[in-house]
Amino acid sequence: MSFDLQSLIPKHLAQLKPYASARDDFQGGREDRVFLDANELPQALHGLPSYINRYPGNEPSVLKEKLAAVKGVDPEQIFLGNGSDEVIDLVMRSFGRPGKDQVMIFPPTFGIYAVRARVNNLGVRAVDLDSRFLVDTGKALDAFTPETPLMFICHPNNPTGNAQPREKIIPLLEGFRGIVVADEAYIDFSPEKSLLPLLERFPNLMVIQTFSKAFGLAGARVGVAYASTEIIEFLDKVRCPYNLGTASIRLAEQALNSHADLRLNVTRTLRMREQLAEELTRMPLVEKVYPSDANFLLVKTSDANALYSHLARQGVVVRNRNNEPGCRGCLRITIGTAEENQHLVRAWTAFEKKGGVNGLQTARSLTDRDEPTVTGGFKERRFVSGPKARKATHRRTTAETDITLHINLDGTGVSNIHTGIGFFDHMLHQVAKHGMIDLEIIARGDLEVDCHHTIEDTGITLGTALLEALGDKRGVERYGFTLPMDDSEASVLLDLGNRFYLKWDARFDAKQIGNIPSGMFRHFFRSFAEAAKCNLHVKATGDDDHHKTEAIFKAFARTLRMAVSRNDSDTMPTTKGML
Ligand code: PMP
């Protein structure tokens, strides 16, 4: 079907003259100009960025240039919005005739489409996804009328998590007379490719992406639309001037430069998604964990409302999708940190142990509503039991390294460790696993020089975070010990007594173990012990250096586990009153 953009422009907008700023008359730099046109303050308040007193200038163009280079489109094919929510709303405002037109959506899907349609006095033509959550293209093409200028396909779909295969989307692009808006908020998590390369072929395609998800910039509110230059020009006419703040634009630019970090975060999220899916699948109340191409899971349970209420009581907020078409019993769960996911699993397990749905009849009274708002009142109902959580997050940045480490002493041995040094990661996984400590370490160091700084600074960061997580050490055991293993024998003694001492009695024949100079292991433990202010005695004998090293790390983990385990006394293990 041929596409005629002009026929989609509502009469009341056809002759629209956009708001013009005097500054639009001037190209080029700002430096040599005196701007007395926009009633701004001539300087920023003390301590705020020096650019912030001015309305945005060429910042959107700079970001568009960068995005264009990354995405392989022209800068004129890019529209920037205050989050993709603004883009969604603006597309409706631009192409929908209030009181007359309808937008087509495919439920269960992102709720904003229907809400913004209502706000813009547009109708909603809903064509439900099939039982596998795929678009029924035949039904969709039968359902549109001359009063349907827009259709919204969420790809991957929120809340179901699945992307639509191309075979489902292309017939819509070919057969629909209006604009097909593909919302790719979660595309970075998906093995299915973005539809961006189809822009050249289909003038009626618009792709929406966002900095809120994989780029981790939800607070900055930056959304992007990609489409033909004609569509983008029209959106630019209709939007409010300066719709995006300079600070947000600059943050988005910065995020674009952190592509390696984005990949790391996505990989980590995908790994944890699989881990969480596996754990949830084992829960008796879980009927199904749907496959996901996004950073969340849709989980079908035998009673979503009861579980939702229970989790909320435990301070875990998930999304109840029970009332969405095809989603009876479903909760949508975002992938959090390893520790947040474990918190969810623990709360869920507690519910199952309590007798699940039957045991929760009284708890149901909290809320049986679909969508509780997280208000102060709701938060007050959070209940935190037991002793104070012993966890800490520490970031250490030097000229050589940037290390972020999270530790939970009362964890279950879950780890997520990336130092860039394979063998070292392997050893640190042992510390988490055998120490029953949750450990997340993202270290970026000058490995192009060697591994020295990364290992040393990881040791310091681990020690510092441990000290912080221990707090006043009330209720912890002061000593740990361990036993030999395999052909090697390692013994680690630890006293968390606030005094540093390292006694090292381990010799290696090999110069390198797992590509790490063997002297670095002593250095790692020294760095740790100094930062954690502890006495650490390490002794190892044996034939195989690899085994010896592994034995030391495992023994260290076991020792740490004993040393930080709580006793019931709630006292400090010292006669001095402090540790
Ligand atoms: N599209 C989808 C499918 C979403 O799930 C969300 C947010 N949950 C958005 C768009 C909104 O994104 P933004 O933060 O860019 O407004």
Side-chain angles (χ1 to χ4, degrees), residues 82-86 88 110 112-113 154-158 183-186 208-213 218 221-224 296 332:
N82 198 257
S84 30
D85 286 346
E86 188 199 12
I88 293 162
F110 184 37
I112 288 284
Y113 308 143
C154 197
H155 168 76
N157 189 37
N158 172 4
D183 183 347
E184 295 190 346
Y186 300 99
I208 300 182
Q209 295 184 353
T210 178
F211 280 83
S212 296
K213 308 296 174 184
R221 313 300 299 124
V222 184
V224 190
F296 56 82
R332 193 197 70 198

Side-chain angles (χ1 to χ4, degrees), residues 123-201:
V124 170
R125 203 162 190 84
V127 178
D128 287 354
L129 295 174
D130 69 15
S131 58
R132 289 179 305 149
F133 296 136
L134 295 176
V135 175
D136 184 331
T137 38
K139 265 195 199 161
L141 291 174
D142 283 346
F144 80 81
T145 70
E147 281 75 46
T148 318
L150 295 166
M151 93 172 31
F152 286 83
I153 303 177
C154 197
H155 168 76
N157 189 37
N158 172 4
T160 60
N162 62 305
Q164 298 292 330
R166 291 253 168 135
E167 313 86 83
K168 291 283 175 188
I169 292 173
I170 290 190
L172 299 176
L173 286 162
E174 285 170 340
F176 183 53
R177 65 169 276 282
I179 299 174
V180 176
V181 182
D183 183 347
E184 295 190 346
Y186 300 99
I187 198 70
D188 293 304
F189 302 101
S190 171
E192 194 69 47
K193 297 264 181 320
S194 164
L195 301 175
L196 278 176
L198 297 183
L199 282 179
E200 257 179 55
R201 205 171 127 201

Side-chain angles (χ1 to χ4, degrees), residues 497-528:
N498 236 21
R499 287 188 315 277
F500 161 61
Y501 192 92
L502 176 76
K503 188 167 165 192
W504 184 266
D505 186 6
R507 248 177 278 281
F508 301 108
D509 294 329
K511 280 211 160 52
Q512 293 216 325
I513 304 161
N515 284 340
I516 298 174
S518 46
M520 280 312 298
F521 296 106
R522 178 182 192 279
H523 194 65
F524 168 73
F525 284 106
R526 189 197 146 86
S527 308
F528 162 80

Side-chain angles (χ1 to χ4, degrees), residues 471-545:
D472 66 5
K473 301 181 182 166
R474 204 173 282 277
V476 304
E477 292 290 348
R478 193 168 174 187
Y479 303 106
F481 69 94
T482 191
L483 291 168
M485 58 164 285
D486 284 0
D487 63 282
S488 303
E489 190 177 307
S491 147
V492 176
L493 305 177
L494 177 65
D495 177 359
L496 296 167
N498 236 21
R499 287 188 315 277
F500 161 61
Y501 192 92
L502 176 76
K503 188 167 165 192
W504 184 266
D505 186 6
R507 248 177 278 281
F508 301 108
D509 294 329
K511 280 211 160 52
Q512 293 216 325
I513 304 161
N515 284 340
I516 298 174
S518 46
M520 280 312 298
F521 296 106
R522 178 182 192 279
H523 194 65
F524 168 73
F525 284 106
R526 189 197 146 86
S527 308
F528 162 80
E530 204 166 356
K533 298 185 183 150
C534 65
N535 277 196
L536 185 66
H537 292 198
V538 178
K539 187 173 173 183
T541 55
D543 307 326
D544 183 316
D545 282 344

